Amino acid sequence: DSGVTQTPKHLITATGQRVTLRCSPRSGDLSVYWYQQSLDQGLQFLIQYYNGEERAKGNILERFSAQQFPDLHSELNLSSLELGDSALYFCASSGDGLEAFFGQGTRLTVV
Amino acid sequence: AQSVTQLGSHVSVSEGALVLLRCNYSSSVPPYLFWYVQYPNQGLQLLLKYTSAATLVKGINGFEAEFKKSETSFHLTKPSAHMSDAAEYFCAVSDRFGNEKLTFGTGTRLTIIP
């Protein structure tokens, strides 16, 4: 158990819909990262938050957004969903910026 | 920009044989390097990391990796494979100058032959 909790574990939704993925980091970790894992793109960094502020941005689509709340949990919002957004979405947290602890992921299926 | 290349998307070894998974990196600044393992339907678990201390890094489950700057490599090895080592392995790079995000390789699926 990494200490990082992601909910839900599975999500099935229709094209055009909006979903929210939730991540609770390890206790005390200020950094939260979101990654997308898909068969064609592999593991890609989406975005990082540090203590509530956006710190780094990767290949995140404009239809996607994230935020980190005062209690340090984070949410990834995906809107206007397309079939190609089907993927495993991972959250990771870190206290020292060196070692990232990954959650079990949320498997999103867009139908 | 940073990148890693993992040679061999699939590697099969016999139980008890040497495991060697290859990773080469590209980075314009001194890198931090990592190996992660992913079991089916699981998240990623850190096996080991190189952060500029010793070039030979020992990790969990008997794995180790050696950082070779001249070869820009960080290959993962284990002397004797176990059935439980069957999984997907990812090499990743970040750097020590504030860029904490991980850039992953495409992964190597390790199969252990009984």
Side-chain angles (χ1 to χ4, degrees), chain B residues 69-102:
Chain B
K69 185 178 177 181
S70 60
E71 299 177 8
T72 61
S73 69
F74 190 59
H75 302 331
L76 182 71
T77 61
K78 181 174 180 177
S80 176
H82 295 165
M83 295 301 294
S84 60
D85 295 328
E88 185 131 25
Y89 292 79
F90 292 92
C91 182
V93 63
S94 68
D95 70 56
R96 65 194 65 183
F97 294 109
N99 177 24
E100 297 171 13
K101 72 176 180 75
L102 293 166

PDB file of all heavy atoms in Angstrom, chain B residues 69-102:
ATOM      1  N   LYS B  69      27.582   6.942 -16.816  1.00  0.00           N
ATOM      2  CA  LYS B  69      27.450   8.226 -17.519  1.00  0.00           C
ATOM      3  C   LYS B  69      28.014   8.142 -18.927  1.00  0.00           C
ATOM      4  O   LYS B  69      27.444   8.691 -19.873  1.00  0.00           O
ATOM      5  CB  LYS B  69      28.170   9.316 -16.713  1.00  0.00           C
ATOM      6  CG  LYS B  69      28.004  10.704 -17.275  1.00  0.00           C
ATOM      7  CD  LYS B  69      28.702  11.725 -16.393  1.00  0.00           C
ATOM      8  CE  LYS B  69      28.592  13.117 -16.998  1.00  0.00           C
ATOM      9  NZ  LYS B  69      29.297  14.126 -16.160  1.00  0.00           N
ATOM     10  N   SER B  70      29.153   7.451 -19.072  1.00  0.00           N
ATOM     11  CA  SER B  70      29.800   7.388 -20.382  1.00  0.00           C
ATOM     12  C   SER B  70      28.928   6.684 -21.415  1.00  0.00           C
ATOM     13  O   SER B  70      29.011   6.955 -22.613  1.00  0.00           O
ATOM     14  CB  SER B  70      31.147   6.665 -20.276  1.00  0.00           C
ATOM     15  OG  SER B  70      30.943   5.346 -19.805  1.00  0.00           O
ATOM     16  N   GLU B  71      28.079   5.784 -20.937  1.00  0.00           N
ATOM     17  CA  GLU B  71      27.194   5.036 -21.844  1.00  0.00           C
ATOM     18  C   GLU B  71      25.764   5.564 -21.786  1.00  0.00           C
ATOM     19  O   GLU B  71      24.902   5.018 -22.480  1.00  0.00           O
ATOM     20  CB  GLU B  71      27.213   3.550 -21.475  1.00  0.00           C
ATOM     21  CG  GLU B  71      28.585   2.912 -21.595  1.00  0.00           C
ATOM     22  CD  GLU B  71      28.605   1.459 -21.157  1.00  0.00           C
ATOM     23  OE1 GLU B  71      27.518   0.890 -20.899  1.00  0.00           O
ATOM     24  OE2 GLU B  71      29.712   0.891 -21.060  1.00  0.00           O
ATOM     25  N   THR B  72      25.508   6.553 -20.986  1.00  0.00           N
ATOM     26  CA  THR B  72      24.155   7.077 -20.709  1.00  0.00           C
ATOM     27  C   THR B  72      23.172   5.937 -20.489  1.00  0.00           C
ATOM     28  O   THR B  72      22.092   5.886 -21.074  1.00  0.00           O
ATOM     29  CB  THR B  72      23.650   8.011 -21.837  1.00  0.00           C
ATOM     30  OG1 THR B  72      23.581   7.293 -23.073  1.00  0.00           O
ATOM     31  CG2 THR B  72      24.537   9.230 -21.981  1.00  0.00           C
ATOM     32  N   SER B  73      23.586   5.013 -19.609  1.00  0.00           N
ATOM     33  CA  SER B  73      22.743   3.837 -19.379  1.00  0.00           C
ATOM     34  C   SER B  73      22.423   3.665 -17.902  1.00  0.00           C
ATOM     35  O   SER B  73      23.144   4.163 -17.017  1.00  0.00           O
ATOM     36  CB  SER B  73      23.435   2.578 -19.911  1.00  0.00           C
ATOM     37  OG  SER B  73      24.573   2.265 -19.129  1.00  0.00           O
ATOM     38  N   PHE B  74      21.360   2.947 -17.656  1.00  0.00           N
ATOM     39  CA  PHE B  74      20.930   2.632 -16.282  1.00  0.00           C
ATOM     40  C   PHE B  74      20.185   1.304 -16.362  1.00  0.00           C
ATOM     41  O   PHE B  74      18.983   1.215 -16.149  1.00  0.00           O
ATOM     42  CB  PHE B  74      20.047   3.766 -15.744  1.00  0.00           C
ATOM     43  CG  PHE B  74      19.736   3.668 -14.277  1.00  0.00           C
ATOM     44  CD1 PHE B  74      20.750   3.655 -13.328  1.00  0.00           C
ATOM     45  CD2 PHE B  74      18.418   3.639 -13.819  1.00  0.00           C
ATOM     46  CE1 PHE B  74      20.471   3.582 -11.960  1.00  0.00           C
ATOM     47  CE2 PHE B  74      18.124   3.568 -12.464  1.00  0.00           C
ATOM     48  CZ  PHE B  74      19.150   3.540 -11.541  1.00  0.00           C
ATOM     49  N   HIS B  75      20.915   0.258 -16.678  1.00  0.00           N
ATOM     50  CA  HIS B  75      20.314  -1.068 -16.867  1.00  0.00           C
ATOM     51  C   HIS B  75      19.957  -1.722 -15.539  1.00  0.00           C
ATOM     52  O   HIS B  75      20.710  -1.612 -14.564  1.00  0.00           O
ATOM     53  CB  HIS B  75      21.256  -1.973 -17.651  1.00  0.00           C
ATOM     54  CG  HIS B  75      21.644  -1.436 -18.998  1.00  0.00           C
ATOM     55  ND1 HIS B  75      20.839  -0.608 -19.750  1.00  0.00           N
ATOM     56  CD2 HIS B  75      22.778  -1.625 -19.729  1.00  0.00           C
ATOM     57  CE1 HIS B  75      21.436  -0.305 -20.883  1.00  0.00           C
ATOM     58  NE2 HIS B  75      22.623  -0.903 -20.898  1.00  0.00           N
ATOM     59  N   LEU B  76      18.866  -2.444 -15.541  1.00  0.00           N
ATOM     60  CA  LEU B  76      18.370  -3.126 -14.343  1.00  0.00           C
ATOM     61  C   LEU B  76      18.742  -4.595 -14.412  1.00  0.00           C
ATOM     62  O   LEU B  76      18.544  -5.237 -15.452  1.00  0.00           O
ATOM     63  CB  LEU B  76      16.841  -2.989 -14.271  1.00  0.00           C
ATOM     64  CG  LEU B  76      16.142  -3.603 -13.057  1.00  0.00           C
ATOM     65  CD1 LEU B  76      16.455  -2.794 -11.803  1.00  0.00           C
ATOM     66  CD2 LEU B  76      14.633  -3.658 -13.295  1.00  0.00           C
ATOM     67  N   THR B  77      19.263  -5.135 -13.313  1.00  0.00           N
ATOM     68  CA  THR B  77      19.646  -6.542 -13.290  1.00  0.00           C
ATOM     69  C   THR B  77      19.177  -7.221 -12.019  1.00  0.00           C
ATOM     70  O   THR B  77      18.931  -6.580 -10.992  1.00  0.00           O
ATOM     71  CB  THR B  77      21.174  -6.726 -13.406  1.00  0.00           C
ATOM     72  OG1 THR B  77      21.796  -6.070 -12.287  1.00  0.00           O
ATOM     73  CG2 THR B  77      21.728  -6.153 -14.685  1.00  0.00           C
ATOM     74  N   LYS B  78      19.041  -8.544 -12.140  1.00  0.00           N
ATOM     75  CA  LYS B  78      18.783  -9.392 -10.986  1.00  0.00           C
ATOM     76  C   LYS B  78      19.443 -10.725 -11.286  1.00  0.00           C
ATOM     77  O   LYS B  78      19.252 -11.284 -12.362  1.00  0.00           O
ATOM     78  CB  LYS B  78      17.288  -9.574 -10.750  1.00  0.00           C
ATOM     79  CG  LYS B  78      16.968 -10.437  -9.529  1.00  0.00           C
ATOM     80  CD  LYS B  78      15.481 -10.474  -9.234  1.00  0.00           C
ATOM     81  CE  LYS B  78      15.209 -11.345  -8.014  1.00  0.00           C
ATOM     82  NZ  LYS B  78      13.775 -11.355  -7.629  1.00  0.00           N
ATOM     83  N   PRO B  79      20.254 -11.227 -10.365  1.00  0.00           N
ATOM     84  CA  PRO B  79      21.049 -12.424 -10.672  1.00  0.00           C
ATOM     85  C   PRO B  79      20.210 -13.662 -10.988  1.00  0.00           C
ATOM     86  O   PRO B  79      20.584 -14.458 -11.832  1.00  0.00           O
ATOM     87  CB  PRO B  79      21.867 -12.642  -9.389  1.00  0.00           C
ATOM     88  CG  PRO B  79      21.858 -11.344  -8.681  1.00  0.00           C
ATOM     89  CD  PRO B  79      20.557 -10.694  -9.029  1.00  0.00           C
ATOM     90  N   SER B  80      19.072 -13.815 -10.286  1.00  0.00           N
ATOM     91  CA  SER B  80      18.304 -15.038 -10.430  1.00  0.00           C
ATOM     92  C   SER B  80      16.818 -14.706 -10.461  1.00  0.00           C
ATOM     93  O   SER B  80      16.269 -14.240  -9.457  1.00  0.00           O
ATOM     94  CB  SER B  80      18.626 -15.982  -9.258  1.00  0.00           C
ATOM     95  OG  SER B  80      17.834 -17.152  -9.309  1.00  0.00           O
ATOM     96  N   ALA B  81      16.179 -14.961 -11.570  1.00  0.00           N
ATOM     97  CA  ALA B  81      14.774 -14.597 -11.733  1.00  0.00           C
ATOM     98  C   ALA B  81      13.848 -15.523 -10.953  1.00  0.00           C
ATOM     99  O   ALA B  81      14.059 -16.738 -10.902  1.00  0.00           O
ATOM    100  CB  ALA B  81      14.404 -14.634 -13.220  1.00  0.00           C
ATOM    101  N   HIS B  82      12.813 -14.922 -10.382  1.00  0.00           N
ATOM    102  CA  HIS B  82      11.747 -15.679  -9.728  1.00  0.00           C
ATOM    103  C   HIS B  82      10.464 -15.496 -10.510  1.00  0.00           C
ATOM    104  O   HIS B  82      10.283 -14.498 -11.207  1.00  0.00           O
ATOM    105  CB  HIS B  82      11.549 -15.183  -8.289  1.00  0.00           C
ATOM    106  CG  HIS B  82      12.720 -15.422  -7.411  1.00  0.00           C
ATOM    107  ND1 HIS B  82      12.870 -14.790  -6.197  1.00  0.00           N
ATOM    108  CD2 HIS B  82      13.809 -16.206  -7.566  1.00  0.00           C
ATOM    109  CE1 HIS B  82      14.007 -15.186  -5.646  1.00  0.00           C
ATOM    110  NE2 HIS B  82      14.591 -16.042  -6.454  1.00  0.00           N
ATOM    111  N   MET B  83       9.571 -16.437 -10.359  1.00  0.00           N
ATOM    112  CA  MET B  83       8.272 -16.340 -11.042  1.00  0.00           C
ATOM    113  C   MET B  83       7.555 -15.046 -10.673  1.00  0.00           C
ATOM    114  O   MET B  83       6.890 -14.429 -11.496  1.00  0.00           O
ATOM    115  CB  MET B  83       7.394 -17.533 -10.711  1.00  0.00           C
ATOM    116  CG  MET B  83       7.915 -18.882 -11.205  1.00  0.00           C
ATOM    117  SD  MET B  83       8.133 -18.918 -12.996  1.00  0.00           S
ATOM    118  CE  MET B  83       6.435 -18.754 -13.546  1.00  0.00           C
ATOM    119  N   SER B  84       7.744 -14.613  -9.442  1.00  0.00           N
ATOM    120  CA  SER B  84       7.054 -13.416  -8.957  1.00  0.00           C
ATOM    121  C   SER B  84       7.585 -12.130  -9.597  1.00  0.00           C
ATOM    122  O   SER B  84       7.014 -11.057  -9.389  1.00  0.00           O
ATOM    123  CB  SER B  84       7.172 -13.312  -7.444  1.00  0.00           C
ATOM    124  OG  SER B  84       8.532 -13.240  -7.068  1.00  0.00           O
ATOM    125  N   ASP B  85       8.683 -12.232 -10.363  1.00  0.00           N
ATOM    126  CA  ASP B  85       9.232 -11.042 -11.026  1.00  0.00           C
ATOM    127  C   ASP B  85       8.489 -10.691 -12.309  1.00  0.00           C
ATOM    128  O   ASP B  85       8.743  -9.629 -12.900  1.00  0.00           O
ATOM    129  CB  ASP B  85      10.714 -11.255 -11.352  1.00  0.00           C
ATOM    130  CG  ASP B  85      11.571 -11.385 -10.110  1.00  0.00           C
ATOM    131  OD1 ASP B  85      11.239 -10.747  -9.086  1.00  0.00           O
ATOM    132  OD2 ASP B  85      12.576 -12.138 -10.164  1.00  0.00           O
ATOM    133  N   ALA B  86       7.609 -11.564 -12.753  1.00  0.00           N
ATOM    134  CA  ALA B  86       6.849 -11.301 -13.978  1.00  0.00           C
ATOM    135  C   ALA B  86       6.003 -10.055 -13.790  1.00  0.00           C
ATOM    136  O   ALA B  86       5.138 -10.004 -12.896  1.00  0.00           O
ATOM    137  CB  ALA B  86       5.979 -12.493 -14.318  1.00  0.00           C
ATOM    138  N   ALA B  87       6.252  -9.055 -14.613  1.00  0.00           N
ATOM    139  CA  ALA B  87       5.582  -7.760 -14.464  1.00  0.00           C
ATOM    140  C   ALA B  87       6.057  -6.859 -15.604  1.00  0.00           C
ATOM    141  O   ALA B  87       6.844  -7.275 -16.453  1.00  0.00           O
ATOM    142  CB  ALA B  87       5.911  -7.112 -13.119  1.00  0.00           C
ATOM    143  N   GLU B  88       5.597  -5.611 -15.585  1.00  0.00           N
ATOM    144  CA  GLU B  88       6.095  -4.613 -16.530  1.00  0.00           C
ATOM    145  C   GLU B  88       7.005  -3.665 -15.773  1.00  0.00           C
ATOM    146  O   GLU B  88       6.691  -3.245 -14.655  1.00  0.00           O
ATOM    147  CB  GLU B  88       4.947  -3.839 -17.175  1.00  0.00           C
ATOM    148  CG  GLU B  88       5.389  -2.865 -18.257  1.00  0.00           C
ATOM    149  CD  GLU B  88       4.580  -2.996 -19.540  1.00  0.00           C
ATOM    150  OE1 GLU B  88       3.430  -3.457 -19.458  1.00  0.00           O
ATOM    151  OE2 GLU B  88       5.089  -2.616 -20.609  1.00  0.00           O
ATOM    152  N   TYR B  89       8.120  -3.338 -16.388  1.00  0.00           N
ATOM    153  CA  TYR B  89       9.139  -2.522 -15.745  1.00  0.00           C
ATOM    154  C   TYR B  89       9.335  -1.245 -16.552  1.00  0.00           C
ATOM    155  O   TYR B  89       9.461  -1.278 -17.782  1.00  0.00           O
ATOM    156  CB  TYR B  89      10.466  -3.285 -15.647  1.00  0.00           C
ATOM    157  CG  TYR B  89      10.382  -4.448 -14.687  1.00  0.00           C
ATOM    158  CD1 TYR B  89       9.783  -5.645 -15.067  1.00  0.00           C
ATOM    159  CD2 TYR B  89      10.868  -4.336 -13.392  1.00  0.00           C
ATOM    160  CE1 TYR B  89       9.674  -6.699 -14.177  1.00  0.00           C
ATOM    161  CE2 TYR B  89      10.771  -5.385 -12.495  1.00  0.00           C
ATOM    162  CZ  TYR B  89      10.167  -6.564 -12.897  1.00  0.00           C
ATOM    163  OH  TYR B  89      10.061  -7.610 -12.007  1.00  0.00           O
ATOM    164  N   PHE B  90       9.372  -0.126 -15.828  1.00  0.00           N
ATOM    165  CA  PHE B  90       9.514   1.175 -16.466  1.00  0.00           C
ATOM    166  C   PHE B  90      10.751   1.886 -15.926  1.00  0.00           C
ATOM    167  O   PHE B  90      10.938   1.993 -14.707  1.00  0.00           O
ATOM    168  CB  PHE B  90       8.295   2.050 -16.196  1.00  0.00           C
ATOM    169  CG  PHE B  90       7.034   1.575 -16.860  1.00  0.00           C
ATOM    170  CD1 PHE B  90       6.165   0.719 -16.184  1.00  0.00           C
ATOM    171  CD2 PHE B  90       6.712   1.974 -18.142  1.00  0.00           C
ATOM    172  CE1 PHE B  90       5.006   0.270 -16.789  1.00  0.00           C
ATOM    173  CE2 PHE B  90       5.557   1.531 -18.759  1.00  0.00           C
ATOM    174  CZ  PHE B  90       4.700   0.671 -18.077  1.00  0.00           C
ATOM    175  N   CYS B  91      11.544   2.393 -16.839  1.00  0.00           N
ATOM    176  CA  CYS B  91      12.651   3.270 -16.504  1.00  0.00           C
ATOM    177  C   CYS B  91      12.148   4.712 -16.622  1.00  0.00           C
ATOM    178  O   CYS B  91      11.316   5.008 -17.499  1.00  0.00           O
ATOM    179  CB  CYS B  91      13.799   3.018 -17.478  1.00  0.00           C
ATOM    180  SG  CYS B  91      15.283   3.981 -17.173  1.00  0.00           S
ATOM    181  N   ALA B  92      12.604   5.587 -15.728  1.00  0.00           N
ATOM    182  CA  ALA B  92      12.137   6.969 -15.768  1.00  0.00           C
ATOM    183  C   ALA B  92      13.267   7.915 -15.389  1.00  0.00           C
ATOM    184  O   ALA B  92      14.208   7.536 -14.676  1.00  0.00           O
ATOM    185  CB  ALA B  92      10.952   7.160 -14.824  1.00  0.00           C
ATOM    186  N   VAL B  93      13.158   9.149 -15.849  1.00  0.00           N
ATOM    187  CA  VAL B  93      14.172  10.163 -15.585  1.00  0.00           C
ATOM    188  C   VAL B  93      13.514  11.452 -15.099  1.00  0.00           C
ATOM    189  O   VAL B  93      12.401  11.794 -15.520  1.00  0.00           O
ATOM    190  CB  VAL B  93      15.020  10.419 -16.860  1.00  0.00           C
ATOM    191  CG1 VAL B  93      14.153  10.970 -18.001  1.00  0.00           C
ATOM    192  CG2 VAL B  93      16.193  11.345 -16.573  1.00  0.00           C
ATOM    193  N   SER B  94      14.165  12.108 -14.179  1.00  0.00           N
ATOM    194  CA  SER B  94      13.816  13.481 -13.830  1.00  0.00           C
ATOM    195  C   SER B  94      15.159  14.196 -13.631  1.00  0.00           C
ATOM    196  O   SER B  94      16.205  13.666 -14.001  1.00  0.00           O
ATOM    197  CB  SER B  94      12.942  13.558 -12.575  1.00  0.00           C
ATOM    198  OG  SER B  94      13.666  13.175 -11.430  1.00  0.00           O
ATOM    199  N   ASP B  95      15.147  15.391 -13.062  1.00  0.00           N
ATOM    200  CA  ASP B  95      16.439  16.040 -12.857  1.00  0.00           C
ATOM    201  C   ASP B  95      16.482  16.756 -11.527  1.00  0.00           C
ATOM    202  O   ASP B  95      15.484  16.829 -10.823  1.00  0.00           O
ATOM    203  CB  ASP B  95      16.790  16.975 -14.028  1.00  0.00           C
ATOM    204  CG  ASP B  95      15.907  18.216 -14.086  1.00  0.00           C
ATOM    205  OD1 ASP B  95      15.845  18.965 -13.081  1.00  0.00           O
ATOM    206  OD2 ASP B  95      15.279  18.426 -15.138  1.00  0.00           O
ATOM    207  N   ARG B  96      17.635  17.240 -11.184  1.00  0.00           N
ATOM    208  CA  ARG B  96      17.845  17.816  -9.865  1.00  0.00           C
ATOM    209  C   ARG B  96      17.734  19.321  -9.875  1.00  0.00           C
ATOM    210  O   ARG B  96      18.159  19.982  -8.943  1.00  0.00           O
ATOM    211  CB  ARG B  96      19.216  17.400  -9.346  1.00  0.00           C
ATOM    212  CG  ARG B  96      20.371  17.949 -10.170  1.00  0.00           C
ATOM    213  CD  ARG B  96      21.650  17.259  -9.824  1.00  0.00           C
ATOM    214  NE  ARG B  96      21.609  15.856 -10.189  1.00  0.00           N
ATOM    215  CZ  ARG B  96      22.598  15.008  -9.937  1.00  0.00           C
ATOM    216  NH1 ARG B  96      23.668  15.413  -9.332  1.00  0.00           N
ATOM    217  NH2 ARG B  96      22.496  13.752 -10.290  1.00  0.00           N
ATOM    218  N   PHE B  97      17.177  19.861 -10.950  1.00  0.00           N
ATOM    219  CA  PHE B  97      17.082  21.308 -11.023  1.00  0.00           C
ATOM    220  C   PHE B  97      15.632  21.765 -11.027  1.00  0.00           C
ATOM    221  O   PHE B  97      15.248  22.661 -11.752  1.00  0.00           O
ATOM    222  CB  PHE B  97      17.818  21.809 -12.268  1.00  0.00           C
ATOM    223  CG  PHE B  97      19.301  21.561 -12.192  1.00  0.00           C
ATOM    224  CD1 PHE B  97      19.887  20.598 -12.988  1.00  0.00           C
ATOM    225  CD2 PHE B  97      20.088  22.262 -11.317  1.00  0.00           C
ATOM    226  CE1 PHE B  97      21.251  20.342 -12.904  1.00  0.00           C
ATOM    227  CE2 PHE B  97      21.455  22.024 -11.223  1.00  0.00           C
ATOM    228  CZ  PHE B  97      22.033  21.059 -12.023  1.00  0.00           C
ATOM    229  N   GLY B  98      14.837  21.131 -10.195  1.00  0.00           N
ATOM    230  CA  GLY B  98      13.455  21.564 -10.016  1.00  0.00           C
ATOM    231  C   GLY B  98      12.459  20.904 -10.928  1.00  0.00           C
ATOM    232  O   GLY B  98      11.257  21.138 -10.802  1.00  0.00           O
ATOM    233  N   ASN B  99      12.932  20.103 -11.873  1.00  0.00           N
ATOM    234  CA  ASN B  99      11.999  19.418 -12.772  1.00  0.00           C
ATOM    235  C   ASN B  99      11.685  18.064 -12.176  1.00  0.00           C
ATOM    236  O   ASN B  99      12.410  17.100 -12.395  1.00  0.00           O
ATOM    237  CB  ASN B  99      12.626  19.268 -14.152  1.00  0.00           C
ATOM    238  CG  ASN B  99      11.724  18.504 -15.102  1.00  0.00           C
ATOM    239  OD1 ASN B  99      10.513  18.460 -14.920  1.00  0.00           O
ATOM    240  ND2 ASN B  99      12.314  17.880 -16.100  1.00  0.00           N
ATOM    241  N   GLU B 100      10.651  17.991 -11.398  1.00  0.00           N
ATOM    242  CA  GLU B 100      10.376  16.764 -10.669  1.00  0.00           C
ATOM    243  C   GLU B 100       9.571  15.749 -11.450  1.00  0.00           C
ATOM    244  O   GLU B 100       9.464  14.612 -11.042  1.00  0.00           O
ATOM    245  CB  GLU B 100       9.611  17.113  -9.378  1.00  0.00           C
ATOM    246  CG  GLU B 100      10.399  17.983  -8.422  1.00  0.00           C
ATOM    247  CD  GLU B 100       9.553  18.488  -7.273  1.00  0.00           C
ATOM    248  OE1 GLU B 100       8.433  17.976  -7.079  1.00  0.00           O
ATOM    249  OE2 GLU B 100      10.001  19.410  -6.571  1.00  0.00           O
ATOM    250  N   LYS B 101       8.966  16.170 -12.551  1.00  0.00           N
ATOM    251  CA  LYS B 101       8.101  15.232 -13.253  1.00  0.00           C
ATOM    252  C   LYS B 101       8.924  14.093 -13.817  1.00  0.00           C
ATOM    253  O   LYS B 101      10.089  14.263 -14.175  1.00  0.00           O
ATOM    254  CB  LYS B 101       7.353  15.938 -14.384  1.00  0.00           C
ATOM    255  CG  LYS B 101       8.233  16.321 -15.581  1.00  0.00           C
ATOM    256  CD  LYS B 101       7.376  16.910 -16.682  1.00  0.00           C
ATOM    257  CE  LYS B 101       8.208  17.294 -17.888  1.00  0.00           C
ATOM    258  NZ  LYS B 101       8.633  16.141 -18.675  1.00  0.00           N
ATOM    259  N   LEU B 102       8.328  12.927 -13.858  1.00  0.00           N
ATOM    260  CA  LEU B 102       8.988  11.749 -14.388  1.00  0.00           C
ATOM    261  C   LEU B 102       8.670  11.595 -15.867  1.00  0.00           C
ATOM    262  O   LEU B 102       7.515  11.694 -16.275  1.00  0.00           O
ATOM    263  CB  LEU B 102       8.510  10.509 -13.637  1.00  0.00           C
ATOM    264  CG  LEU B 102       8.917  10.419 -12.158  1.00  0.00           C
ATOM    265  CD1 LEU B 102       8.105   9.338 -11.460  1.00  0.00           C
ATOM    266  CD2 LEU B 102      10.399  10.141 -12.036  1.00  0.00           C
TER     267      LEU B 102
END
